[in-house]
Amino acid sequence: MTGATIWLTGLPSAGKTTIAYELADRLRAEGRRVEVLDGDEIREFLSAGLGFSREDRHTNVQRIGFVAELLASHGVHVLVPVIAPYADSREAVRKRHQREGTPYVEVHVATPVEVCSVRDVKGLYAKQAAGEISGLTGVDDPYEEPETPDLRIESQNQTVPESAAAVHALLTERGLL
């Protein structure tokens, strides 16, 4: 069975994790092996001690990319809802997958910052606005949008099941399901 890494990148509160878990449920119902590498869990367990400097964010993304490729190369569909704000970091993960011959799909959850700040599931935008935190991706820290993602989802214009179905359709089209 062929695995693949499906990387969902986007701003905080864009809907990456919600879409990933919806898709994971669908794939599991089809009998597929699935893992979700949630960015918050990775930071707690695999990347504890890393901060949010450009270098630390790059290291975090590379660690996640390594684990994702390893799992995908063993037949797991790995869903990675992680901001990964820098294009060069995401490209390095893509190249690792290409070198290993492991399928990789990049999905840009292209939710506008105005929508994300209203959703604000973790309260990050409110904390940034209050001056309690800085370095919030897409507000006072850069987010380099993917120029040519395999799929772009505007989550503000469709339901979570519709977004997950769009990713599922892409995977089917690419022969990854």
Side-chain angles (χ1 to χ4, degrees):
M1 184 180 289
T2 302
T5 294
I6 301 94
W7 197 290
L8 296 98
T9 179
L11 296 173
S13 298
K16 301 175 300 297
T17 302
T18 305
I19 294 167
Y21 279 107
E22 178 80 18
L23 179 58
D25 288 345
R26 181 171 177 176
L27 294 173
R28 286 186 185 110
E30 295 172 355
R32 307 208 183 271
R33 295 172 59 206
V34 180
E35 288 295 334
V36 177
L37 299 182
D38 182 286
D40 293 332
E41 292 175 1
I42 295 291
R43 276 224 172 247
E44 183 179 348
F45 298 107
L46 187 64
S47 293
L50 289 181
F52 292 91
S53 67
R54 183 179 179 105
E55 182 179 309
D56 282 358
R57 288 177 193 251
H58 179 78
T59 298
N60 185 49
V61 168
Q62 297 316 296
R63 288 177 181 176
I64 297 167
F66 172 80
V67 172
E69 192 285 321
L70 187 65
L71 288 168
S73 73
H74 287 85
V76 178
H77 284 79
V78 185
L79 306 177
V80 186
V82 173
I83 295 168
Y86 301 111
D88 60 343
S89 295
R90 294 189 307 267
E91 185 58 25
V93 171
R94 180 186 293 276
K95 285 182 177 172
R96 164 182 280 288
H97 281 71
Q98 287 172 340
R99 276 193 313 272
E100 300 298 327
T102 305
Y104 177 88
V105 174
E106 182 179 71
V107 177
H108 179 204
V109 183
T111 310
V113 68
E114 300 79 18
V115 174
C116 295
S117 66
V118 169
R119 290 179 180 171
D120 203 12
V121 293
K122 298 176 191 164
L124 297 174
Y125 293 92
K127 288 178 182 176
Q128 190 277 337
E132 296 172 24
I133 63 168
S134 63
L136 181 59
T137 301
V139 178
D140 60 350
D141 209 55
Y143 176 74
E144 299 170 357
E145 289 193 8
E147 292 180 15
T148 56
D150 297 290
L151 178 64
R152 191 177 314 275
I153 291 175
E154 295 181 357
S155 71
Q156 74 279 11
N157 296 329
Q158 59 193 37
T159 65
V160 172
E162 288 170 340
S163 295
V167 180
H168 190 278
L170 176 66
L171 297 174
T172 301
E173 175 187 306
R174 298 260 173 108
L176 300 174
L177 294 181

